[in-house]
Amino acid sequence: MTEFHALHGRGSSLVLEVVPGSAPLWRYWGPLLPRDALAEAPLAATRPLPTFALDKDVALSVFPLLGEGWFAQSALLAHRAGADWAQAVTAAEVDHEGSELLVRLADSVSALEVEIRLSLDPETDVLTVSTKLTNAGAGALDIQWLAAASLPLPPETRRMHFYNGRHQAEFGPQVQELKRSLWRRENRRGLTSHDAPPTGFAETIEGCVYAAHLAWSGNSVQQAEWLDDGRYLWQFGEWLAPGEVRLGPGETLETPELIATFSADGRNGAMQNFHAAIRKRMTWPGGKMRPRPVQINTWEGFYFNHDMAGMTALADEAAQLGIERFVLDDGWFEGRRNDKAALGDWVPDRKKYPDGLGPLAAHVTGLGMEFGLWVEPEMINPDSDLARAHPEWILTGAGRPVLTGRNQMVLDLTQHGVADYLYAVLSGLLKSLPISYLKWDHNREIVAGGPRAVYRRQVQATYALMARLRADFPDVEIEACAAGGGRIDAGILKYAHRFWTSDSLDAVQRIAMQREFLRVFPPEVMGSHIGTAPAHSTRRRQSLDFRAGVALAAHFGVELDPMKLDAKDKARLADWIAEHKALRDQLHSGRIWLGEAGDGVFWQAHGDARDLILLLYRVEPTTQRHMPLIRLPMLGDGAYTVTRLDRTRTNHTAPFVETMKNGAVVSGAWLRQSGLTMPAIAAETVSIFRLVAK
Ligand code: GLA
């Protein structure tokens, strides 16, 4: 009897078919199956051999291999000095325990062993897959490619959504029709990257979504290839440089984890599953997320121009506004007057801070705020004491000129001396100052170089350094930043607690960017600040209310000099901070729905079907005489109290809209199917509502 293994989530199932001596076949991944509904017959009994084809049907398995007569992408490309290059499975076993399958494969001819772990979390509906390869032979094995996961997409798949971006323009949504060909994205920038982050959303003709994200902060590959049976093979893994991985006898290569999910509710469902899974994976100081402290960051308000007097005054001002965390950004260390020098020399600048940072940190904590500090540990400026003392620590071009980026070079963290030095420096700062937060930056890409490629080992060394610091300083939170959002992934989030989303604080640009960020990551890890007007990145000018409304749902902060605000804006800023504090518990838990109402109105709802905060964003002026209605698909039938929370004034208003100020009672079924009447808000306005079931 053919054996099947099924895993079931809340709304999805997968089924593998066991074939003796081969890797298990992919029979199903999609909407939840009843537990007793397995495949009607083994695959081989369901499809005749095509004419003039191999005399054995080679179907998609969890580890398809070149040497088996598999003509699409292999899960492995490897060789031993040119030999053993076409692998095939000779023995297979599947262990099934609860919600996890452990597939063990061996190729006795090429002397390889493989373990693939697939687990489908019944709570979150998120599938986690990773692969481990062991060299069981006598000689070295060179690896060019090892897929973390080889997943099936059904024939109804029509298009792939993915991202492209750059500094100050993260998460640019892209969409491409899938055809009878290979679609592929590669990131070779050495870190997660702005331009090809490892995330994809495959959408079917009916609007179902398969979503996947590689939890990894380095190079990556994602590809979808059409197969002879109409399905697509969707693979993710690390992009490996030539010669980057050579396994000695007995050595192992383990891929990063892929997290993936199926949703019959389209992209909102996939997003909600990812949020639940990411919340489960994160490790917070004290075991649990506490309300996200409102923070002030000194960067755009001050850049490199800060000193003890200025920062003390800023701290006083920030505390009065209700800010809870003060983050001293770049510019605090010896000789750092611009971005041309001093990275690597992590001692306070004596001119700016004659007595070190202790007095400032004490002042900040004395005001009841937390103290946070910016660092960029993996980086070094050629013009620094560290570079002069240890030129051998720099990742070099091995005979070729080193390319600088933002005037800086990269330290080779795979050298123990370097990792130990950075640990000593960072732990020294954490021991001597009351720091509860590190903003950990990485402001350039990694260029190929060195006698051998060290990309993946560099990422692992960063993870190890972060893990070591987290273990020794468990109360410290980390923000991951890389020229804004260049290192946003679920790999680093094992050690970090928030991302700096982008160096663009332009609120118009942020609306689109933040919606895409949210498709994988929950709002509490999305850093969003109220910046200056005009925005430094675009020179566009936006009202304080609009900037605040756009930052409101995220991990909220301020990045301007409040001493330069007029009295009216300062008072409004304090109001927004108070508003955020009142709403943050609900904004940062529960589910999120993203929607579009037409006429340029986007909406975002946070909470659950009985209690929601609804944000409406209008960027462009209306082109209609009357506003569109906002249909809220998650609401139940009963009555809801709808209260408008924002104080935006409009040129004209309707009596019903006015009643919402004090709470209007409306049927949930009506709001779900007909829609909520929205106020006639102007361009660049955010309107906020709370809907509570009665
Ligand atoms: C990067 C970050 C900014 C700021 C600067 C400091 O660009 O994204 O927020 O920290 O570095 O140099």
Side-chain angles (χ1 to χ4, degrees):
M1 242 218 6
T2 309
E3 211 188 325
F4 295 101
H5 289 283
L7 297 180
H8 301 285
R10 246 187 316 101
S12 70
S13 302
L14 66 85
V15 181
L16 302 185
E17 176 181 328
V18 172
V19 182
S22 299
L25 301 179
W26 270 115
R27 291 303 303 273
Y28 183 79
W29 181 33
L32 187 66
L33 281 171
R35 280 173 197 264
D36 54 357
L38 291 184
E40 77 275 46
L43 188 69
T46 67
R47 50 190 217 178
L49 288 177
T51 51
F52 284 73
L54 297 179
D55 294 327
K56 175 181 181 258
D57 185 16
V58 182
L60 176 61
S61 77
V62 294
F63 202 68
L65 286 173
L66 191 62
E68 297 177 334
W70 177 251
F71 295 115
Q73 294 290 315
S74 184
L76 175 68
L77 294 172
H79 66 94
R80 291 178 204 280
D84 287 339
W85 61 277
Q87 303 82 17
V89 171
T90 53
E93 252 176 56
V94 181
D95 282 346
H96 187 163
E97 252 201 67
S99 55
E100 185 166 303
L101 295 173
L102 181 61
V103 177
R104 288 204 189 84
L105 308 172
D107 174 1
S108 57
V109 179
S110 303
L112 308 175
E113 285 162 15
V114 174
E115 267 185 28
I116 304 164
R117 201 175 285 276
L118 301 106
S119 68
L120 179 55
D121 181 355
E123 249 176 70
T124 64
D125 232 3
V126 167
L127 170 68
T128 305
V129 191
S130 63
T131 299
K132 199 159 105 184
L133 171 78
T134 304
N135 176 9
L141 183 74
D142 283 303
I143 320 279
Q144 184 188 328
W145 164 243
L146 174 64
S150 297
L151 300 175
L153 290 171
E156 316 84 76
T157 311
R158 282 297 170 271
R159 57 190 68 88
M160 188 66 83
H161 298 263
F162 59 101
Y163 298 113
N164 175 252
R166 50 153 286 172
H167 176 234
Q168 296 179 333
E170 286 79 352
F171 295 108
Q174 308 297 315
V175 58
Q176 210 154 311
E177 296 292 309
L178 292 182
K179 294 279 163 61
R180 291 190 173 201
S181 61
L182 174 74
W183 170 86
R184 183 172 165 105
R185 293 283 290 155
E186 288 186 3
N187 162 38
R188 302 171 222 91
R189 290 173 190 262
L191 77 169
T192 322
S193 89
H194 297 80
D195 76 314
T199 304
F201 305 88
E203 194 185 333
T204 70
I205 202 159
E206 304 99 348
C208 295
V209 166
Y210 292 80
H213 167 80
L214 190 70
W216 179 241
S217 312
N219 291 330
S220 64
V221 175
Q222 170 184 190
Q223 58 196 10
E225 185 171 19
W226 188 80
L227 302 179
D228 290 328
D229 55 15
R231 290 185 292 177
Y232 293 84
L233 163 60
W234 198 17
Q235 281 182 330
F236 281 79
E238 257 181 89
W239 181 87
L240 297 175
E244 185 171 359
V245 178
R246 169 172 287 182
L247 296 183
E251 284 182 351
T252 286
L253 172 66
E254 197 166 353
T255 68
E257 284 178 335
L258 182 79
I259 56 173
T261 191
F262 164 81
S263 165
D265 286 336
R267 298 185 73 186
N268 276 339
M271 170 176 69
Q272 292 163 4
N273 295 348
F274 272 154
H275 289 184
I278 281 169
R279 283 173 174 158
K280 258 178 117 167
R281 290 165 68 97
M282 287 186 68
T283 58
W284 291 99
K288 193 164 144 261
M289 184 187 87
R290 60 193 167 87
R292 302 291 68 223
V294 174
Q295 60 183 47
I296 189 158
N297 178 295
T298 58
W299 182 239
E300 291 208 357
F302 300 87
Y303 292 108
F304 299 98
N305 307 321
H306 46 84
D307 58 18
M308 184 60 195
M311 291 301 100
T312 309
L314 177 66
D316 291 338
E317 192 78 30
Q320 270 185 18
L321 286 165
I323 287 169
E324 299 160 309
R325 180 187 276 158
F326 181 101
V327 182
L328 187 62
D329 209 281
D330 197 353
W332 59 267
F333 44 100
E334 189 63 46
R336 185 72 166 169
R337 269 168 273 289
N338 51 43
D339 65 7
K340 295 194 172 46
L343 285 174
D345 300 343
W346 301 108
V347 288
D349 187 280
R350 270 162 299 184
K351 288 205 188 76
K352 295 176 184 173
Y353 299 97
D355 300 314
L357 292 179
L360 176 63
H363 186 74
V364 165
T365 52
L367 289 164
M369 293 187 291
E370 294 176 33
F371 183 67
L373 193 63
W374 179 93
V375 287
E376 200 180 356
E378 291 120 308
M379 296 298 154
I380 183 165
N381 283 118
D383 182 4
S384 65
D385 289 345
L386 188 66
R388 285 180 282 273
H390 287 288
E392 77 285 5
W393 282 2
I394 298 170
L395 210 51
T396 61
R400 297 179 200 281
V402 185
L403 295 177
T404 51
R406 204 196 187 207
N407 313 302
Q408 60 199 56
M409 302 192 291
V410 183
L411 285 168
D412 180 358
L413 263 68
T414 66
Q415 296 183 35
H416 288 302
V418 177
D420 287 346
Y421 167 80
L422 291 176
Y423 176 80
V425 166
L426 293 168
S427 61
L429 286 166
L430 294 174
K431 270 187 214 144
S432 60
L433 294 165
I435 296 173
S436 61
Y437 184 81
L438 284 178
K439 178 175 173 189
W440 188 305
D441 216 332
H442 186 297
N443 279 322
R444 59 156 294 173
E445 288 139 347
I446 297 180
V447 176
R452 283 190 93 90
V454 295
Y455 294 110
R456 75 182 313 263
R457 290 200 292 135
Q458 179 84 0
V459 175
Q460 287 170 328
T462 298
Y463 286 171
L465 180 60
M466 286 184 169
R468 197 171 161 196
L469 289 163
R470 289 281 320 270
D472 293 348
F473 302 92
D475 294 336
V476 174
E477 289 186 13
I478 296 178
E479 169 174 24
C481 175
R487 191 151 63 176
I488 298 180
D489 64 80
I492 206 151
L493 209 51
K494 274 200 174 149
Y495 314 99
H497 306 91
R498 126 168 175 151
F499 295 113
W500 182 227
T501 312
S502 175
D503 275 351
S504 180
L505 300 184
D506 178 304
V508 168
Q509 208 185 3
R510 276 273 181 158
I511 290 177
M513 205 186 274
Q514 294 184 174
R515 285 169 82 78
E516 298 307 323
F517 177 106
L518 288 173
R519 294 197 190 276
V520 176
F521 300 99
E524 62 270 24
V525 302
M526 177 169 78
S528 192
H529 295 168
I530 302 173
T532 53
H536 293 183
S537 53
T538 61
R539 309 309 300 170
R540 283 198 290 213
R541 183 176 284 280
Q542 294 137 356
S543 73
L544 186 102
D545 283 342
F546 182 54
R547 286 175 277 149
V550 169
L552 186 75
H555 183 178
F556 188 76
V558 175
E559 192 165 333
L560 47 73
D561 179 356
M563 294 175 274
K564 291 191 180 141
L565 295 179
D566 62 29
K568 190 172 138 261
D569 270 359
K570 205 184 279 184
R572 286 299 290 143
L573 182 57
D575 288 350
W576 277 105
I577 291 169
E579 175 91 351
H580 173 79
K581 288 181 184 170
L583 299 179
R584 67 185 161 192
D585 284 349
Q586 190 173 354
L587 289 168
H588 295 167
S589 60
R591 293 197 273 168
I592 293 189
W593 290 262
L594 300 175
E596 256 179 75
D599 190 33
V601 175
F602 293 92
W603 60 263
Q604 181 172 319
H606 293 235
D608 62 55
R610 300 190 54 78
D611 188 352
L612 280 178
I613 294 169
L614 173 69
L615 299 129
L616 305 183
Y617 305 94
R618 172 179 281 296
V619 173
E620 294 294 331
T622 182
T623 56
Q624 300 183 177
R625 290 197 163 82
H626 305 289
M627 292 292 114
L629 298 172
I630 313 294
R631 287 219 305 267
L632 299 165
M634 75 299 274
L635 297 187
D637 281 347
Y640 280 77
T641 308
V642 182
T643 313
R644 183 168 175 199
L645 304 181
D646 65 284
R647 294 195 269 137
T648 315
R649 281 189 299 139
T650 46
N651 292 341
H652 55 278
T653 184
F656 172 73
V657 167
E658 290 308 297
T659 65
M660 287 196 282
K661 281 189 187 151
N662 302 315
V665 177
V666 194
S667 128
W670 179 260
L671 296 173
R672 185 178 70 231
Q673 280 160 227
S674 172
L676 172 73
T677 299
M678 68 172 282
I681 52 176
E684 300 191 354
T685 301
V686 182
S687 195
I688 309 161
F689 298 81
R690 180 144 190 191
L691 291 89
V692 182
K694 278 176 79 80

